[in-house]
Amino acid sequence: MSETINVMLAGPRGKMGTEALKMIDETNNFQLVGCIDRKHNGQLVSEVDGLPNLNAPIYTDAEEAFERLNADVFIDLTNPETGFKHTKLALHNHIRPVIGTSGFSDGQLDELKKLSHNQQTGVVIAPNFAIGAVLMMRFSQMAAKYFPNVEIIEKHHDEKLDAPSGTAVKTAQLIKEVRDSMKQGHPDEHETIAGARGADIDGMHVHSVRLPGFIAQQEVIFGQSGQTLTIQHNSTDRKSFMSGVKFAVEEVMKIDHFVYGLENLME
Amino acid sequence: MSETINVMLAGPRGKMGTEALKMIDETNNFQLVGCIDRKHNGQLVSEVDGLPNLNAPIYTDAEEAFERLNADVFIDLTNPETGFKHTKLALHNHIRPVIGTSGFSDGQLDELKKLSHNQQTGVVIAPNFAIGAVLMMRFSQMAAKYFPNVEIIEKHHDEKLDAPSGTAVKTAQLIKEVRDSMKQGHPDEHETIAGARGADIDGMHVHSVRLPGFIAQQEVIFGQSGQTLTIQHNSTDRKSFMSGVKFAVEEVMKIDHFVYGLENLME
Amino acid sequence: MSETINVMLAGPRGKMGTEALKMIDETNNFQLVGCIDRKHNGQLVSEVDGLPNLNAPIYTDAEEAFERLNADVFIDLTNPETGFKHTKLALHNHIRPVIGTSGFSDGQLDELKKLSHNQQTGVVIAPNFAIGAVLMMRFSQMAAKYFPNVEIIEKHHDEKLDAPSGTAVKTAQLIKEVRDSMKQGHPDEHETIAGARGADIDGMHVHSVRLPGFIAQQEVIFGQSGQTLTIQHNSTDRKSFMSGVKFAVEEVMKIDHFVYGLENLME
Amino acid sequence: MSETINVMLAGPRGKMGTEALKMIDETNNFQLVGCIDRKHNGQLVSEVDGLPNLNAPIYTDAEEAFERLNADVFIDLTNPETGFKHTKLALHNHIRPVIGTSGFSDGQLDELKKLSHNQQTGVVIAPNFAIGAVLMMRFSQMAAKYFPNVEIIEKHHDEKLDAPSGTAVKTAQLIKEVRDSMKQGHPDEHETIAGARGADIDGMHVHSVRLPGFIAQQEVIFGQSGQTLTIQHNSTDRKSFMSGVKFAVEEVMKIDHFVYGLENLME
């Protein structure tokens, strides 16, 4: 039997926050000890409309919450500004933070790293909680050493405004770290209609499909003479983030240092 | 039992020609009665290095071949110039031509159409013998009536020089015939790296992947709220053309008029 | 400009019914004139919690609704028993029914066919409103004439109890109608672990994947020497049915006879 | 600039052997110093029909070849019996062997391991030279720690006799090593047609498609709530093995011990 992990959470009424409460509720060895919220001070989570039936108190004062609650792990699903304050408070109280944001500056990350070191308290900052996407990027980086020719196709709903997606760009950057810069395709290739060969990131071609009916999908295709290797991630629901949050909570218990990105928690 | 179809063929030593001879050899009710070749006049097919063991005579004089041979169908796998002369000779001799070329001019096609009509002799001109590709284009045109949002991804080996592929452009044109012109994607979408959203053909986005390890593949993706429909053709070998040639030979026996494109032979 | 189609609907508070009301609301030339519901007699749709803001009256008495409302089309999204009664009432009142059910008996379908003929009023009964799935099945049947070798892979969430899915079985039956019965694969093939080659339907192999993360997906794969052709449908949301309902409403206005299955409304 | 690696090869006239000679010819820092063949003693490779234009001598006596040739690496593409003898001779001569076979017994592997240790000479035995397939298996094992629900679909031409494929079984075994044994799918799921849910390997379901038009393809699909992760390898040509041979030659130069499987050469 795993030992119980006492968890506190900031942002219980956001979409992600509510999903996280459900996940905590459904995980045998996780125990919710309290929440930080902008409203409902003094109430129980179970008393708030739309939240799961959990008997944990709500605090609007973060400092009070960190002092009163006997928590092992603190999950923050608010915003970068509030999240940064919370993370520092948590570390000062030796409560391990699990923070889902890509919005911290380099300076903020440095400050948290030092604080984690001084407090000897583990912290996980995760810009992406979708374990499948994290694995896709990691495998892509590994594969690129042996398959330098690679293209990326990402497919999203047609409400998405920017192309290529952030995940596609990040994947290309990770691949760039491990392969020599190269111009892919035939040296004499030409587009008879502009854009056919996609966006060029360090010689890699990236293609963005936007159609109703898709949610979020990416495939990374590696080719060499006689074979192709494809790694595809398909996300259909934000529930997919919860397995990543759960994993981070379990792993932050095992460390006493600063970790950025779920991939660095994986063996 | 099907009745035997007597076949003559021009271009037996080309790659496609040799594959066609094998196909004729393996088809129970096809019988090779002779070939037109630039060399080997008077020899048997079986006497020529690399050709199947078929006891059919070779002629270098096309006129002589069409007069002497008792053929039902004439297959031409040479080139547009020679093929045009052969087709006219075949029609004059009431032998039904099956011609694989996209190289005839509109004027030439008109001339053959009239000749076919006057001779009351069926003829099939096929720019593409890959039945799978023909079906993909046909289904795409049918689907577009109900799914106006569509993107095309075509993947080829990285020796291919032009992008997008001819098949992708043709597919987009066929779709264009049946849907209203529309700009796909969000009206405010923007590329952070040029080319990400692919080539634009009448509002449809077309993406060209070029990687070693691919041969020739295309997928046509239709999306609408809550669902996607994808039609994919994958070609791995020129043998794939032979089922199209066989189909054309069988169908040309049933018609006494001019047909352009295998799709117009399908029910 | 299209002329306005006056629509009445039974079952507004069911999941499908509410989606249909939204679709009617969003379609310019559709006008809701009233609903049949088991509750809320005399109220407006807009007064019922969870329904769109539409000023159409609700009737609990179906006969009264059909007599009072000046409707062109009647949509039923209730259940087979109620739906059958409603359909007969609609036809008697020369209102064209669009009914989404696979639950009518052959006898009931015959009765409705005769009634439609006598009343010279069009009716559409659709066991499946997902246009993409209907097209997938139709294209599969067309492709099978040229590609007799075919396998089906369907993928669903792991809460699904039966395998293969009803759509996979129906697809195989449609293919069976147009190809000769044949045993696929090598005559001497053997399974080293039972089940590897899937379920056998008239020689076609059908494979059922059950994994969390999938909703409902099917691919029909046709193969012949040197090429494959794949038709794939992916359903991610029940909203996907609404384009089929909308299509049926538009098409039923053009007919004065009985039609079973959306595929028979397509050109 | 990389230093030149002197290579000798046994089995130059086999399909794999000839491809390997081409690869050596095309690799700048590889130099063929000689071959072992059953015929053509004393001739040059360039003098044998069908082999590349390389001025390296052929020996029929293996012992003589190993003594006379100044090689760094020895590639064997013969058969397990001959290969085993050659490998021992190579190690005795401090020439690093790269051997592509899955046919050695455990006893033989032990013997080679000891000999490699005693001679302090690196050796690579690879049951599979397709780097893409090796990566697919490795990534699958890594992903299974986070995604215990997994199914495998492998697709081959319909001349393949056994199902599932050896690679599918090996992949399942590798996954089994890292996840707890579990029954996948709904506990109450049932097949209405036997075989629909595929072969069962430790709770994992494996599906074998056999169709003309496929060569060799495998996809490993991981699912969890809200997301799927798919790893796919597609092999279209035996040329795909050559990048694996090349990689093994480069890596064996860096080691002085015994390695079984390319995956153990990867970081």
Side-chain angles (χ1 to χ4, degrees):
Chain A
M1 273 301 289
S2 319
E3 268 185 60
T4 294
I5 302 176
N6 289 322
V7 180
M8 59 185 284
L9 179 139
R13 287 178 297 114
K15 282 178 183 174
M16 290 281 286
T18 305
E19 287 293 337
L21 287 185
K22 283 186 209 163
M23 179 274 290
I24 293 167
D25 193 18
E26 290 164 6
T27 305
N28 282 334
N29 64 319
F30 284 14
Q31 175 79 34
L32 185 75
V33 295
C35 283
I36 300 171
D37 193 2
R38 279 182 295 183
K39 299 204 294 191
H40 305 297
N41 190 45
Q43 286 192 267
L44 295 177
V45 168
S46 55
E47 292 165 355
V48 178
D49 245 29
L51 297 191
N53 189 26
L54 291 160
N55 286 321
I58 296 173
Y59 295 83
T60 50
D61 184 324
E63 294 194 36
E64 188 188 350
F66 282 110
E67 276 160 32
R68 296 241 184 144
L69 294 171
N70 182 23
D72 301 304
V73 174
F74 164 68
I75 300 171
D76 193 289
L77 298 167
T78 61
N79 57 62
E81 196 185 351
T82 309
F84 184 64
K85 288 178 200 159
H86 286 171
T87 307
K88 289 193 290 184
L89 283 170
L91 287 171
H92 278 297
N93 286 278
H94 295 284
I95 297 171
R96 295 167 173 87
V98 165
I99 315 296
T101 183
S102 57
F104 289 168
S105 68
D106 286 353
Q108 287 178 315
L109 291 172
D110 271 352
E111 187 177 337
L112 295 178
K113 194 169 184 176
K114 275 176 204 154
L115 187 56
S116 162
H117 181 75
N118 292 340
Q119 297 292 101
Q120 301 218 23
T121 301
V123 54
V124 174
I125 317 286
N128 191 340
F129 273 129
I131 284 192
V134 171
L135 286 172
M136 173 180 62
M137 286 188 269
R138 194 182 185 209
F139 295 163
S140 295
Q141 198 180 41
M142 291 169 72
K145 291 180 203 164
Y146 310 100
F147 283 81
N149 282 286
V150 52
E151 302 209 7
I152 298 172
I153 302 173
E154 49 96 349
K155 299 172 185 165
H156 285 83
H157 53 86
D158 61 352
E159 298 298 309
K160 188 168 174 64
L161 294 182
D162 55 316
S165 71
T167 300
V169 173
K170 173 130 195 239
T171 306
Q173 286 166 340
L174 288 167
I175 291 171
K176 188 179 167 181
E177 288 176 11
V178 298
R179 68 161 211 177
D180 292 334
S181 193
M182 58 186 283
K183 175 101 189 78
Q184 289 186 191
H186 194 283
D188 297 334
E189 75 171 21
H190 61 274
E191 294 177 337
T192 55
I193 306 176
R197 290 286 285 120
D200 184 317
I201 302 182
D202 198 50
M204 275 170 272
H205 294 256
V206 180
H207 312 270
S208 301
V209 173
R210 297 290 176 265
L211 281 172
F214 280 110
I215 299 167
Q217 197 178 96
Q218 179 174 303
E219 55 191 304
V220 188
I221 312 172
F222 298 90
Q224 62 175 228
S225 184
Q227 65 183 323
T228 61
L229 177 69
T230 302
I231 301 161
Q232 188 200 58
H233 182 246
N234 193 20
S235 178
T236 55
D237 198 304
R238 77 169 60 82
K239 278 179 211 156
S240 67
F241 296 120
M242 289 310 126
S243 63
V245 175
K246 187 178 163 188
F247 172 67
V249 168
E250 285 163 347
E251 294 301 311
V252 81
M253 290 299 291
K254 304 176 188 167
I255 60 173
D256 58 4
H257 57 280
F258 174 94
V259 167
Y260 186 81
L262 289 196
E263 61 274 26
N264 295 308
L265 291 171
M266 292 169 171
E267 290 152 40
Chain B
M1 275 299 290
S2 318
E3 267 185 59
T4 295
I5 301 176
N6 289 322
V7 181
M8 60 184 284
L9 180 141
R13 286 177 297 115
K15 282 177 184 178
M16 290 280 286
T18 305
E19 287 294 337
L21 288 184
K22 283 186 209 161
M23 180 273 290
I24 293 167
D25 192 17
E26 289 164 6
T27 304
N28 282 334
N29 63 320
F30 284 12
Q31 174 78 34
L32 185 75
V33 296
C35 283
I36 300 172
D37 192 3
R38 276 182 298 184
K39 298 204 294 191
H40 305 298
N41 191 42
Q43 285 190 269
L44 295 177
V45 168
S46 55
E47 292 165 355
V48 178
D49 245 26
L51 297 191
N53 188 25
L54 290 161
N55 286 320
I58 295 172
Y59 295 83
T60 50
D61 185 323
E63 292 194 38
E64 188 187 349
F66 282 111
E67 277 160 31
R68 295 239 185 149
L69 293 171
N70 181 24
D72 300 304
V73 175
F74 164 68
I75 300 171
D76 191 287
L77 298 166
T78 61
N79 57 60
E81 196 185 352
T82 308
F84 184 64
K85 288 179 203 159
H86 286 170
T87 307
K88 289 193 292 183
L89 282 170
L91 286 171
H92 277 298
N93 286 278
H94 294 283
I95 297 171
R96 295 169 172 86
V98 166
I99 315 295
T101 183
S102 58
F104 288 168
S105 69
D106 286 352
Q108 287 178 316
L109 291 172
D110 271 351
E111 187 177 338
L112 295 177
K113 195 170 182 174
K114 275 177 207 156
L115 187 56
S116 163
H117 181 76
N118 292 339
Q119 298 292 100
Q120 301 221 24
T121 301
V123 54
V124 174
I125 317 284
N128 191 339
F129 272 128
I131 283 190
V134 171
L135 286 173
M136 174 179 62
M137 286 188 270
R138 195 182 183 209
F139 295 162
S140 295
Q141 198 180 41
M142 291 169 71
K145 290 179 203 165
Y146 310 100
F147 284 80
N149 283 285
V150 52
E151 302 208 6
I152 299 171
I153 303 172
E154 49 94 349
K155 300 171 184 166
H156 284 83
H157 53 86
D158 62 352
E159 298 298 308
K160 187 167 174 63
L161 295 182
D162 56 317
S165 71
T167 300
V169 173
K170 172 129 196 243
T171 305
Q173 286 167 340
L174 288 168
I175 291 172
K176 188 179 166 180
E177 289 175 12
V178 298
R179 69 163 210 176
D180 292 333
S181 194
M182 58 186 282
K183 175 101 189 77
Q184 290 187 189
H186 195 282
D188 296 334
E189 74 171 22
H190 60 274
E191 293 178 338
T192 56
I193 306 176
R197 290 286 286 119
D200 185 315
I201 303 183
D202 198 50
M204 276 169 273
H205 294 256
V206 180
H207 311 271
S208 301
V209 173
R210 299 288 176 266
L211 282 172
F214 280 110
I215 299 168
Q217 196 178 95
Q218 179 173 305
E219 55 191 304
V220 187
I221 311 173
F222 297 89
Q224 63 174 230
S225 184
Q227 64 183 324
T228 60
L229 177 68
T230 303
I231 301 161
Q232 188 200 58
H233 182 246
N234 193 19
S235 179
T236 55
D237 198 306
R238 78 169 58 83
K239 278 178 210 155
S240 67
F241 295 120
M242 289 310 126
S243 63
V245 175
K246 186 178 163 188
F247 171 67
V249 168
E250 285 163 347
E251 294 301 310
V252 82
M253 290 298 291
K254 303 176 189 166
I255 60 173
D256 57 5
H257 56 280
F258 173 94
V259 168
Y260 186 81
L262 290 195
E263 61 275 25
N264 295 309
L265 291 171
M266 293 169 171
E267 290 153 40
Chain C
M1 273 297 290
S2 319
E3 269 184 58
T4 295
I5 302 176
N6 289 322
V7 180
M8 59 183 285
L9 178 139
R13 287 178 295 115
K15 283 178 182 173
M16 290 280 287
T18 305
E19 288 294 338
L21 287 184
K22 284 186 208 162
M23 179 274 290
I24 292 167
D25 193 18
E26 291 164 4
T27 305
N28 283 334
N29 65 320
F30 285 13
Q31 175 77 37
L32 185 73
V33 295
C35 282
I36 301 171
D37 192 2
R38 277 181 297 183
K39 299 204 295 192
H40 305 297
N41 192 44
Q43 286 191 266
L44 294 176
V45 169
S46 55
E47 292 166 353
V48 178
D49 246 30
L51 297 192
N53 188 25
L54 291 161
N55 285 321
I58 296 173
Y59 296 83
T60 50
D61 185 323
E63 292 195 36
E64 189 188 348
F66 282 110
E67 275 161 30
R68 296 238 185 149
L69 293 171
N70 182 24
D72 300 305
V73 175
F74 163 68
I75 301 172
D76 192 289
L77 297 167
T78 61
N79 57 60
E81 197 185 350
T82 308
F84 184 63
K85 287 178 202 160
H86 287 169
T87 307
K88 287 192 292 183
L89 282 169
L91 286 171
H92 278 297
N93 286 278
H94 295 285
I95 297 171
R96 295 169 173 87
V98 166
I99 315 295
T101 182
S102 58
F104 288 168
S105 68
D106 287 352
Q108 287 178 316
L109 291 171
D110 271 352
E111 189 177 337
L112 295 177
K113 194 170 184 175
K114 275 177 206 156
L115 187 55
S116 163
H117 181 76
N118 291 340
Q119 297 292 100
Q120 300 220 23
T121 301
V123 54
V124 174
I125 317 284
N128 192 340
F129 272 128
I131 284 191
V134 171
L135 286 172
M136 173 179 62
M137 286 188 269
R138 196 183 181 209
F139 294 162
S140 295
Q141 198 180 40
M142 289 170 72
K145 290 180 203 164
Y146 310 100
F147 284 80
N149 283 286
V150 52
E151 303 208 6
I152 298 171
I153 303 173
E154 49 94 352
K155 300 171 184 166
H156 284 82
H157 52 86
D158 62 352
E159 298 298 308
K160 187 167 173 62
L161 295 182
D162 56 316
S165 71
T167 300
V169 172
K170 172 126 194 245
T171 306
Q173 284 166 342
L174 287 167
I175 291 171
K176 187 179 166 180
E177 287 175 12
V178 298
R179 69 164 211 176
D180 293 335
S181 193
M182 58 185 284
K183 176 100 190 76
Q184 289 186 191
H186 195 283
D188 297 334
E189 74 171 19
H190 60 275
E191 294 177 336
T192 56
I193 306 176
R197 290 287 284 118
D200 185 317
I201 302 182
D202 198 50
M204 275 169 272
H205 295 255
V206 180
H207 311 270
S208 300
V209 172
R210 297 289 175 267
L211 281 173
F214 280 110
I215 299 167
Q217 196 180 96
Q218 179 173 305
E219 57 191 302
V220 187
I221 311 170
F222 296 90
Q224 62 175 228
S225 185
Q227 66 183 322
T228 62
L229 176 68
T230 303
I231 300 161
Q232 188 199 57
H233 182 246
N234 193 20
S235 178
T236 56
D237 198 304
R238 76 167 63 80
K239 278 178 212 156
S240 66
F241 295 120
M242 287 310 126
S243 63
V245 175
K246 187 179 164 188
F247 171 68
V249 168
E250 285 163 347
E251 294 300 310
V252 80
M253 290 298 290
K254 303 177 189 166
I255 60 173
D256 57 4
H257 57 279
F258 173 95
V259 167
Y260 186 81
L262 290 194
E263 62 273 26
N264 296 309
L265 291 171
M266 292 169 171
E267 289 152 41
Chain D
M1 274 299 290
S2 318
E3 268 185 59
T4 294
I5 302 176
N6 289 322
V7 180
M8 60 184 284
L9 179 141
R13 287 177 297 114
K15 284 176 182 176
M16 292 280 286
T18 305
E19 287 294 338
L21 287 184
K22 284 186 209 163
M23 179 273 291
I24 293 167
D25 193 19
E26 290 164 7
T27 305
N28 282 334
N29 65 320
F30 284 12
Q31 175 78 36
L32 185 75
V33 296
C35 283
I36 301 172
D37 192 1
R38 278 181 297 184
K39 299 204 295 192
H40 304 298
N41 192 45
Q43 286 191 266
L44 295 176
V45 168
S46 55
E47 292 165 353
V48 177
D49 244 28
L51 297 192
N53 188 24
L54 291 160
N55 286 321
I58 296 172
Y59 296 82
T60 49
D61 185 325
E63 293 195 36
E64 189 187 350
F66 282 110
E67 277 161 30
R68 296 241 183 145
L69 293 172
N70 180 25
D72 300 304
V73 175
F74 163 69
I75 300 171
D76 192 288
L77 297 166
T78 61
N79 58 61
E81 196 185 353
T82 308
F84 184 64
K85 287 179 202 159
H86 287 169
T87 307
K88 289 193 291 184
L89 281 169
L91 286 171
H92 278 297
N93 286 278
H94 294 284
I95 297 170
R96 294 166 174 87
V98 166
I99 315 294
T101 182
S102 59
F104 288 169
S105 69
D106 287 352
Q108 286 178 317
L109 291 171
D110 271 352
E111 188 177 337
L112 295 177
K113 194 170 185 176
K114 275 177 204 154
L115 187 55
S116 162
H117 181 77
N118 291 340
Q119 298 291 99
Q120 300 219 24
T121 301
V123 54
V124 174
I125 316 284
N128 192 340
F129 272 128
I131 283 190
V134 171
L135 286 172
M136 173 180 63
M137 286 189 268
R138 194 181 183 212
F139 295 162
S140 295
Q141 198 180 41
M142 292 169 72
K145 290 178 202 165
Y146 310 100
F147 284 81
N149 283 287
V150 52
E151 302 210 5
I152 299 171
I153 303 173
E154 49 94 349
K155 300 171 185 164
H156 284 83
H157 53 86
D158 63 350
E159 298 298 308
K160 186 167 175 62
L161 295 182
D162 56 317
S165 71
T167 300
V169 172
K170 173 130 194 240
T171 306
Q173 285 166 342
L174 288 168
I175 291 172
K176 188 179 166 180
E177 287 175 13
V178 298
R179 70 163 208 176
D180 292 334
S181 192
M182 59 185 284
K183 175 99 190 77
Q184 290 187 190
H186 194 284
D188 296 335
E189 75 171 21
H190 61 273
E191 293 176 338
T192 56
I193 306 176
R197 290 287 284 118
D200 184 315
I201 302 182
D202 198 50
M204 275 169 274
H205 294 255
V206 181
H207 311 270
S208 301
V209 173
R210 298 288 176 269
L211 281 172
F214 280 111
I215 299 168
Q217 195 178 96
Q218 179 173 306
E219 56 191 303
V220 188
I221 311 171
F222 297 89
Q224 62 176 227
S225 185
Q227 66 184 322
T228 61
L229 177 68
T230 303
I231 301 160
Q232 189 200 57
H233 182 248
N234 193 19
S235 178
T236 55
D237 198 306
R238 76 167 61 82
K239 278 178 210 154
S240 67
F241 295 119
M242 288 310 126
S243 63
V245 175
K246 187 178 164 188
F247 172 67
V249 168
E250 285 162 347
E251 294 301 311
V252 81
M253 290 299 291
K254 304 175 188 168
I255 60 173
D256 58 4
H257 57 279
F258 173 95
V259 168
Y260 186 82
L262 290 194
E263 62 273 25
N264 295 308
L265 291 172
M266 292 168 173
E267 290 152 39

